[in-house]
Each structure stands twice: as C-alpha cells, then as structure tokens.
Amino acid sequence: MRIGVRLGWSNAYGVLLDRRRVMGTATVPMTGSVSATVASLLRDLARTKAPTVESVTWDVSAVLEATLRSGDDDGRTGHASGWTVPKVRSVAAIRILPRAPRGFVPGTHPSDLVRSLVAWRGSVTGGHDLFGTELARLDSDTAADCADVAKALGLTVLAVTATGAGATAVHEERVATRVLEVFPSARLCLSHELGGLGLLEREATTIVNAALLDAAEELVTTCESATGRLGQEVSCWFATADGGRVPARRFHRLPVLGLSATRATTLTGVAILAERPNALIALAGRSTILVGQVRDGLPHVASDLSGEFGARLTTPQPVVSAHPVAEAVDAATWLAEHPQPIEVIAPLDEVGLDVAERLCSANSDTLMLTRQDADLAAVGAACTESSAWLDLLVPVEASDELDEVQSHAEQQALVQVATNGARPGSERIVRSTAAAVGYLRICRLQIRAGSGGEPEDTS
C-alpha cells in the first residue's frame, strides 16, 4: 500500500491499494504546527487495519510557496488556520561573468521574487561560452572576497551562477571550493546542478532553491519523523513538479523541484481515478478552469515556465493553461470553442463542482466527470514514481556523434532514477529530445526519465 500526503491550507492523505483502487482518503484542517498535525494524521492512519505500508510521498508545494511569500514578514508567518510556515532564507548571489556590460548593476534580475530573496550581490570575472571555451580567467581572489562579505553580513547561503555553466561547471566548482576555504560553514547552490540554457533562468532557479533550503530541512525532518511512525521499512519521498518523486536526501538539497508539484499530482490523481492515462484534463475552480495534459499517466511538462511567481525557472513544471470563467454558462461557451477536445473534468472545490457537473450535463457524450471523495493531489502523490530530468548543452560535429552523446546522457538519467530509489529494472526514458541552439554546432538535450510505464510518443 502507498500513501500520498498533501500539505497546504488543509492536510489530506490518499491511500492506494493499487493504481486503480483508492482505499481511502481524508482531509484534515490545519490546527497547529505542520509537525503536530502530520504526526496526528499518520498516527490515525496507522491504527487502521490496512496492508503493509510501502511508502509515503509528500506533496509540500503549498508550504514551499507560502515560504517564498513570507519574505516580507518578520519571523515566521501565521495564518488564520493556525498554520505557521518557515521564514524564507535571504541569499548572497554571485555571478561569474567574463565582463560586466555597460550600465550593469551587479546581480540585478528582472524577477521581483528573485530580487526580494537576494540580500547581497557580487560578481566574479570568469565564465565559458556554449562550447565550453573559457572566456576569461577565473578571478579566485574576488571569489574569496565575496565569501568574506557574505560571512560578515551573516549570509550563510550562497547561490553561484556562471556564464556557460550549462556547458561546463568548472568555474562554478572552483568558486565553490574557494568560498568554502574562506567560509567553511557556508551552504552553496550551484546553477549547473539544475541545468538550463539561459543565465537569468538558471540564476533564478538557483536563488529560489537556496532560499528554500531551511524550509526543506524542516520539512524533511518533520516528514521523515512522521513517516517513521509507520515502520522502519516505510520509505519517505517528496513529489516533484515533473510528475515524479525524489527521496528525502535529494529533496533536502534541491527543494525547488517541489514547487508546482500540486498541479502535477492533481493531474496524475485525476488520470488514475478516471482510468484515462492519456487525456486532456480540465480542473474547475471558483473562477478559473485549468487545463493540462497527461500522457501515459504523467503530466506533460516543460522547463523555462513562469510558474506561480512569474519567475522563469529551469526546473520542469506542468504545462497548464488557465481560463477565467464567471459561471458555468461562460465555461460551456469556452469549452465549445476550445481548440482541443477536453475529455475529463474534475472539480477543485465546491464551486468548481457545480461548474463541472453542468458542463458534463451539456456534454455527456464527450466529457467525463471525475467526482470522488478522494483528494486528487494526495492520490496523485501516492502514485508517483522515481524521476529525473536533465537539461544539458553539448557541442556536436555530426549526427552520429549526437546519437552517442544523447545515449550517454540518457544513461546518466537512468542512473539518477535508479539512485533515487526506483525498483530495479523499472528505469525508463520517458522523453529524450535534442534541439539545435541557433546556428551553432551545439544541441540542447532535455531528458525525462522515470520508472515503470511506457515512453512518451514524441512524434
């Protein structure tokens, strides 16, 4: 048996006997700390006469998002429900650039969120081009100076982003080494660990990840402790926005992977409950209908999306379009005009249920309503599998060379899935694409790997 738990304005858990039958779900209002409420929730579950629990997968997206929104508050942020969330961590950001353009203010970023998370910014000479050729010699002394400033300011988390790190991580790693020589207790986030093409996108993702490290530490400790109450053999996982899951040790280091996970787990949960692994799904809420797609039971995802906060991140997120609707009649008009046939609809709340039911009444031949007492995101979290995502830049001279490089990268992704705890032999490539970068002899590889199921049809 698997358990999925969603933490948010209310807690919910879903218990799965298999990928088709939901044993039971529950929604529990937040009445205190995350730790106390979660412990009580799982303690009640443990009293039931249930089969042996295999794993618990936690969807903590709402907690991470609330943490990012807590940046303007003092201390910890409280809500009417009594729930408190960790305070976001201020970050020192270091850019590695071959030279600063005219009018450049070190570390500036177009995202309001990113600017709010950075308490101090510095720059170091260095960096590479997209072929991995060094553009400027690395100034290690300036890197040490940056570490001294961060230490003096009490900033213990540093985000390092280098020009060309998508092609080679050498300068980021050398800066990390130099920083730790001066500031051994510093915690570092390096942009190449998250992948991606654009400097600003990689920097945004790295800074957000760095700002969430403290929250992740608290969440991992809490969730592992609560999971342990179900037995020492029960594994603890965290849902990710690519529709998969990662073990606690990886989530502890890369919490940004959990942002927008609820959209992914909700789409997965609907697909499971509707028994429609390939479908265009609508999620009806109070004033908005969200539309996303599942392929082989996994949400369709992409990188470089703006997400909830308007900052473009290199980590994969579900491709979801939002359509505001005032009432069911507006939704019916929108549904009739939608360019692709929507096959399944599910309510996100009571108002959404009314919209969904009226739409299904008018489109009973083409639209399927998934209405169950299950929490959709919790069910989806329970059904997630180990996953990995690679976003790499590779120089290639010929097509046969690309095949070899791509095959090697796919093996890297499969190894990461196995390392993340997949069942032996279940590792698979979900999607593998290679796209030329402009007119250069460089390709961008994006590889999505998971466990179980069948590969996506990318034709």
Side-chain angles (χ1 to χ4, degrees), residues 71-91:
D72 296 331
D73 299 326
D74 295 326
R76 300 168 66 87
T77 302
H79 299 283
S81 61
W83 172 32
T84 57
V85 299
K87 180 72 165 58
V88 70
R89 168 69 69 178
S90 294
V91 175

Side-chain angles (χ1 to χ4, degrees), residues 149-196:
V149 173
K151 185 177 181 179
L153 293 174
L155 301 173
T156 59
V157 181
L158 288 81
V160 181
T161 307
T163 302
T168 178
V170 172
H171 280 187
E172 286 191 351
E173 291 171 343
R174 289 180 181 172
V175 165
T177 299
R178 192 72 178 96
V179 166
L180 291 175
E181 289 174 356
V182 177
F183 192 1
S185 61
R187 303 173 71 183
L188 299 176
C189 292
L190 310 181
S191 78
H192 74 270
E193 296 178 327
L194 295 158

Side-chain angles (χ1 to χ4, degrees), residues 240-244 259-269 271 276-281 283 290-305 315-321 340 389 428 430-433 446 448 455-459:
T240 54
D242 66 351
L259 286 177
S260 299
T262 297
R263 287 188 173 184
T265 54
T266 300
L267 289 169
T268 300
R276 300 289 290 274
N278 299 283
L280 197 63
I281 295 175
L283 306 172
L290 304 177
V291 178
Q293 189 172 36
V294 289
R295 301 173 180 175
D296 187 33
L298 293 173
H300 173 51
V301 300
S303 60
D304 301 331
L305 301 180
T315 48
Q317 302 174 55
V319 179
V320 174
S321 56
Q340 292 178 287
W389 174 274
R428 67 184 178 104
V430 177
R431 188 179 70 199
S432 179
T433 62
Q446 290 189 314
R448 183 183 186 185
E456 280 187 11
D457 180 6
T458 57
S459 59

Side-chain angles (χ1 to χ4, degrees), residues 364-414:
S364 57
D365 295 335
T366 59
L367 193 59
M368 175 183 180
L369 173 64
T370 297
R371 177 188 178 185
Q372 300 197 25
D373 293 331
D375 181 86
L376 301 175
V379 170
C383 292
T384 55
E385 300 284 355
S386 177
S387 63
W389 174 274
L390 294 183
D391 192 349
L392 309 170
L393 290 177
V394 293
V396 292
E397 296 291 340
S399 58
D400 57 343
E401 182 181 354
L402 174 60
D403 291 341
E404 181 179 349
V405 171
Q406 189 167 0
S407 177
H408 177 70
E410 289 172 357
Q411 289 303 311
Q412 282 184 274
L414 292 174

Side-chain angles (χ1 to χ4, degrees), residues 1-6 12-19 23-24 41-42 45-46 50-59 223-224 226-239 244-248 378-386 420-423 451:
M1 180 181 74
R2 291 182 169 198
I3 300 171
V5 182
R6 175 182 57 79
Y13 70 79
V15 185
L16 273 290
L17 290 179
D18 54 42
R19 287 180 67 86
M23 176 182 169
L41 185 154
L42 288 186
L45 179 62
T52 302
V53 177
E54 170 191 338
S55 65
V56 178
T57 302
W58 302 84
D59 175 357
C223 295
E224 282 190 314
T227 301
R229 290 183 171 89
L230 297 178
Q232 293 184 347
E233 300 302 317
V234 182
S235 56
C236 179
W237 300 78
F238 290 85
R245 65 180 186 176
V246 295
V379 170
C383 292
T384 55
E385 300 284 355
S386 177
N420 284 346
R423 297 185 307 276
S451 58

Side-chain angles (χ1 to χ4, degrees), residues 49-228:
K49 294 180 180 180
T52 302
V53 177
E54 170 191 338
S55 65
V56 178
T57 302
W58 302 84
D59 175 357
V60 297
S61 177
V63 179
L64 296 177
E65 291 167 6
T67 298
L68 290 177
R69 293 188 177 97
S70 72
D72 296 331
D73 299 326
D74 295 326
R76 300 168 66 87
T77 302
H79 299 283
S81 61
W83 172 32
T84 57
V85 299
K87 180 72 165 58
V88 70
R89 168 69 69 178
S90 294
V91 175
I94 300 176
R95 277 186 186 173
I96 305 173
L97 303 166
R99 58 181 177 141
R102 182 176 299 175
F104 172 74
V105 178
T108 55
H109 197 282
S111 165
D112 292 339
L113 171 65
V114 172
R115 291 197 302 272
S116 73
L117 297 175
V118 177
W120 178 82
R121 313 167 189 274
S123 63
V124 173
T125 300
H128 295 78
D129 66 15
L130 297 183
F131 293 94
T133 303
E134 188 175 79
L135 295 173
R137 184 178 179 180
L138 184 66
D139 185 353
S140 296
D141 290 339
T142 301
D145 292 340
C146 289
D148 280 331
V149 173
K151 185 177 181 179
L153 293 174
L155 301 173
T156 59
V157 181
L158 288 81
V160 181
T161 307
T163 302
T168 178
V170 172
H171 280 187
E172 286 191 351
E173 291 171 343
R174 289 180 181 172
V175 165
T177 299
R178 192 72 178 96
V179 166
L180 291 175
E181 289 174 356
V182 177
F183 192 1
S185 61
R187 303 173 71 183
L188 299 176
C189 292
L190 310 181
S191 78
H192 74 270
E193 296 178 327
L194 295 158
L197 177 60
L199 175 71
L200 292 178
E201 289 81 359
R202 277 190 292 108
E203 183 180 58
T205 311
T206 308
I207 289 171
V208 169
N209 188 70
L212 290 172
L213 287 180
D214 281 4
E217 183 173 5
E218 180 174 331
L219 285 167
V220 167
T221 299
T222 296
C223 295
E224 282 190 314
S225 176
T227 301

